[in-house]
Amino acid sequence: QLVSFDVDMDSATITLLFDETVEKDSFSVAALQLSSSTGAALNLSTSTFSLVDGVDVTFAFVKADLDELTRLKICPTAAECFVSFPSALCLDMNGNAVVSAVDVPVLGFTTDTTAPVATSLVEFDMDSGTFQLLFSETISASSTDFAMLQLQSFVLNPSTTLQLQAGAVISADDTVVKLQLCHQLR
């Protein structure tokens, strides 16, 4: 039976603590579901996890799951973080199925404090005045501050730069965000 669970959104890990040793080879990460009180839920993908039988199982989120949890606003805070799973999640050392759990609140929680990084310019369309930026993680698209963006002719030693002042976000929260330049820059 699950005793508690911890989530670290900054290091992208989850730890489940059981009341007895569970068999690591029987563990199915895909059976785990994280959810929020808003009703949003996500079944996790297969992942690597602790490689020993024990009462605690720790594993890292795959990047796609972490991005989707962020996009769906699942586990942004401890109050919005719950786990559910069927008895098929894993077996104890005697081959007995674990007791299923529904909407168990997180016990230990660490928020994501790592700032996202713009990693590349995916597309730049001068005809439509749009461009797309790829970020290291899902971002809140509405938080885009155009005054913090600068277009330049070269990465190193740019001969021309243009400080953006205004524009519009034309995509939802994601790792790729599409932006519209203001009319004066087109």
Side-chain angles (χ1 to χ4, degrees), residues 36 38 40 68-76 80 140 173:
S36 73
T38 63
E68 192 66 1
L69 288 168
T70 303
R71 189 185 71 76
L72 294 173
K73 295 177 179 45
I74 298 171
C75 296
E80 292 293 320
S140 171
D173 297 352

Side-chain angles (χ1 to χ4, degrees), residues 9 22 26 29-30 58 65 75 80 92 96 100 108 116 121 135 144 150 164 168-169 182:
M9 294 300 285
V22 295
S26 70
V29 174
T58 299
D65 282 350
C75 296
E80 292 293 320
D92 68 14
N96 299 312
S100 63
L121 179 65
F135 288 87
T144 303
Q150 184 180 72
L164 300 182
V169 178
C182 65

